[in-house]
Amino acid sequence: MIHIKNFVFNDFRENCYLISDETGECAVIDPGYRTDYEKRLLDTYIAENNLKPSKILLTHGHFDHVHGLKDCVQTYGIPVFMCGEDFDILHGGNWFHEKYGFDVPDTDVETNDIKDGDTVSFGNTEMEVLQTPGHSPGCVCFLVRNEKVLFSGDTLFAGSIGRTDHPGGDYDTLMKSIFEKLMVLDGDVEVFPGHGPSTGIAEERMKNPFLLPFNEPFDDEQIH
């Protein structure tokens, strides 16, 4: 059984998740911490609970999710996994820093490419990779199917969806990803997004205004 600890980091209130299981191994999803204080929160929790970090998983390459990436790699000596479609954003996303006035994070780390259908594991836990482009070209979600837990990054939020007005974003692609990859999951799958509170698949099917029937991708074959 997994345990999920949520840390809220930086000015964009980014959710960094620490997922551990009974073996004591853990994975870090989206280490977005910027300050020494935020770093200590993560490090102290790991130390006090005798956890052994195994992997860093990135849902995408936007700066607010990766500010602590290199520090986390250096501190724990663990590999990074992300979709290669976001490699350019991770290493060259100066547009975001110029727009929001943030310092440019050092992301000079080696990454391992993951794609739809892959599995990443730590301890006794397996996480399926669901490739969900739209918010960015290389967005992925991580599904722990037997625990019915989904880490949705900035693809799906409680009552909302990821923005698509940044470079590399595409609304139609995002909607296709959500309907074909996420809305087909069991309704009792709990969703942990990249920002904001957790939610559930059934909850979003019924109440998310972006996912109501009139927002479904148009299929002209249906009218013939």
Side-chain angles (χ1 to χ4, degrees):
M1 183 174 182
I2 62 171
H3 177 78
I4 301 168
K5 174 65 176 177
N6 179 26
F7 298 89
V8 181
F9 288 145
N10 70 52
D11 296 359
F12 288 84
R13 309 291 291 169
E14 177 264 345
N15 289 328
C16 168
Y17 296 103
L18 191 68
I19 312 100
S20 57
D21 66 16
E22 64 277 4
T23 68
E25 287 196 23
C26 64
V28 182
I29 296 182
D30 292 351
Y33 57 84
R34 293 186 68 216
T35 66
D36 289 340
Y37 171 73
E38 289 178 334
K39 171 181 168 54
R40 284 197 300 272
L41 290 177
L42 180 67
D43 292 344
T44 299
Y45 183 86
I46 290 172
E48 289 181 347
N49 290 276
N50 297 312
L51 299 179
K52 297 171 289 187
S54 171
K55 291 178 173 65
I56 297 171
L57 309 178
L58 300 183
T59 61
H60 61 298
H62 285 160
F63 72 102
D64 52 327
H65 291 253
V66 301
H67 259 276
L69 176 62
K70 186 167 185 177
D71 177 84
C72 200
V73 170
Q74 293 176 334
T75 299
Y76 295 105
I78 54 179
V80 180
F81 294 80
M82 68 174 293
C83 177
E85 296 293 328
D86 261 19
F87 187 83
D88 289 342
I89 290 177
L90 176 68
H91 294 289
N94 291 332
W95 180 90
F96 298 99
H97 312 298
E98 293 171 357
K99 179 176 177 63
Y100 294 110
F102 265 39
D103 54 305
V104 179
D106 185 351
T107 56
D108 183 20
V109 299
E110 184 177 343
T111 60
N112 297 275
D113 190 12
I114 53 177
K115 60 185 183 305
D116 193 60
D118 285 349
T119 299
V120 291
S121 61
F122 65 91
N124 294 327
T125 302
E126 289 191 348
M127 308 179 78
E128 299 175 35
V129 178
L130 306 180
Q131 201 161 337
T132 55
H135 175 64
S136 73
C139 271
V140 298
C141 300
F142 297 101
L143 174 66
V144 188
R145 191 174 293 273
N146 65 321
E147 300 268 0
K148 295 200 169 184
V149 167
L150 177 77
F151 298 94
S152 64
D154 285 5
T155 295
L156 178 67
F157 302 121
S160 188
I161 61 174
R163 61 189 299 171
T164 57
D165 57 330
H166 285 160
D170 184 84
Y171 175 81
D172 289 338
T173 300
L174 177 63
M175 295 297 284
K176 180 179 175 67
S177 293
I178 292 173
F179 278 107
E180 293 187 356
K181 297 292 181 63
L182 305 187
M183 290 300 101
V184 297
L185 298 175
D186 291 343
D188 57 350
V189 169
E190 191 170 5
V191 178
F192 293 87
H195 302 269
S198 62
T199 182
I201 291 296
E203 181 82 3
E204 298 312 304
R205 284 180 189 150
M206 293 185 293
K207 297 181 179 180
N208 192 316
F210 292 92
L211 305 182
L212 297 178
F214 55 78
N215 282 316
E216 292 183 5
F218 177 70
D219 184 356
D220 60 0
E221 292 183 0
Q222 293 178 352
I223 65 175
H224 296 302

